[in-house]
Amino acid sequence: MDSEATTETTTGTARPTAKAILAAACRVIVRRGFDATRIADIAREAGTSTGTVHYYFETKDDVLLAALRWANQQPYVRVDELVEQGDDDLTRLAKLLEVAVPYLGRPRDEYILLIELWGRILHRPELVPDGEVVSARWRGYFFDVLRAGTESGAFQPERHPDEVAERLIGLVDGLGFKAVLGYRWMPPERMREILLRFAADELGVPYGELEERARSDV
């Protein structure tokens, strides 16, 4: 555990920070699922005691929901960096589509945690605002990039860019869910190809150029 993941107690022993507890909870949720995750599992993953977990979070529900809220804000730091790296609107779109694919590892884990959040929202109306915040930020990337690209002339959509953005978001969400579940006919690579071809057709840009930019430095 690195220094940022621990804090000193009054006895001089190292206690994991709340952030470290949340990160541990997320790792367990990915492996076991929300409902099967126990406080003991989180404590073991964080290398601490159940008492330390309860020091920060009163109940299991408190720590698990806090973990999902925290986890679903983390990907945007990386998305912001990738989109900002793009020198033009076509490159920004390509990077956005590439990061939308749930490849094995961190990207898939992030998708799982998003699905777990929506699963809770389905039966907990009071959590709807959490979902709205996550959704609005994710959708905003697509609207911003497509509007800017259309205005600059990089894209030549036959429809309003907002409509294309809605369709693209729907495609990302639907295919991403299937890719995460491991459908044989929807591996991440197939999802990627569908997204890039759809975007190229809808926006009047060469598929090969979009694909090449998606592949570079992501």
Side-chain angles (χ1 to χ4, degrees):
M1 210 176 287
D2 60 39
S3 60
E4 292 185 357
T6 61
T7 185
E8 289 293 316
T9 67
T10 54
T11 61
T13 58
R15 174 193 293 139
T17 63
K19 180 179 176 181
I21 297 294
L22 294 177
C26 289
R27 294 192 295 272
V28 178
I29 291 171
V30 168
R31 293 199 305 267
R32 296 177 56 92
F34 186 95
D35 293 328
T37 296
R38 304 167 302 177
I39 291 290
D41 300 320
I42 298 170
R44 186 179 304 111
E45 182 70 22
T48 190
S49 67
T50 57
T52 299
V53 178
H54 285 299
Y55 173 83
Y56 294 108
F57 305 98
E58 185 174 350
T59 68
K60 169 185 166 178
D61 199 50
D62 289 341
V63 64
L64 293 184
L65 288 177
L68 291 183
R69 291 186 178 104
W70 176 80
N72 281 286
Q73 294 300 319
Q74 301 314 301
Y76 296 121
V77 175
R78 185 161 52 99
V79 176
D80 285 340
E81 292 174 351
L82 288 172
V83 172
E84 289 172 2
Q85 287 172 9
D87 296 327
D88 54 66
D89 294 314
L90 183 60
T91 301
R92 282 188 279 274
L93 173 63
K95 291 182 179 294
L96 179 58
L97 294 177
E98 185 72 11
V99 79
V101 179
Y103 298 108
L104 287 177
R106 178 178 175 181
R108 184 175 184 272
D109 292 351
E110 290 172 349
Y111 256 91
I112 290 173
L113 292 165
L114 176 61
I115 291 171
E116 289 282 8
L117 176 62
W118 282 110
R120 308 282 76 72
I121 291 171
L122 181 64
H123 301 290
R124 301 273 297 272
E126 72 275 15
L127 299 178
V128 168
D130 293 290
E132 290 175 338
V133 169
V134 171
S135 182
R137 189 164 182 183
W138 176 239
R139 288 165 57 82
Y141 290 113
F142 289 89
F143 285 105
D144 290 346
V145 170
L146 266 62
R147 289 170 182 169
T150 300
E151 185 176 346
S152 71
F155 307 146
Q156 301 292 330
E158 294 184 1
R159 302 172 180 82
H160 192 284
D162 286 2
E163 182 177 346
V164 178
E166 288 283 10
R167 295 183 178 199
L168 196 50
I169 293 165
L171 194 60
V172 167
D173 291 348
L175 296 182
F177 181 78
K178 293 177 174 60
V180 167
L181 291 181
Y183 284 22
R184 293 182 180 179
W185 46 267
M186 191 49 63
E189 294 75 14
R190 176 60 177 152
M191 174 182 171
R192 178 183 188 273
E193 180 183 2
I194 292 173
L195 289 180
L196 294 175
R197 290 196 181 281
F198 177 83
D201 290 346
E202 287 288 316
L203 298 172
V205 299
Y207 168 78
E209 189 173 356
L210 185 62
E211 196 278 336
E212 181 179 354
R213 297 192 188 201
R215 213 172 350 105
S216 63
D217 301 321
V218 175

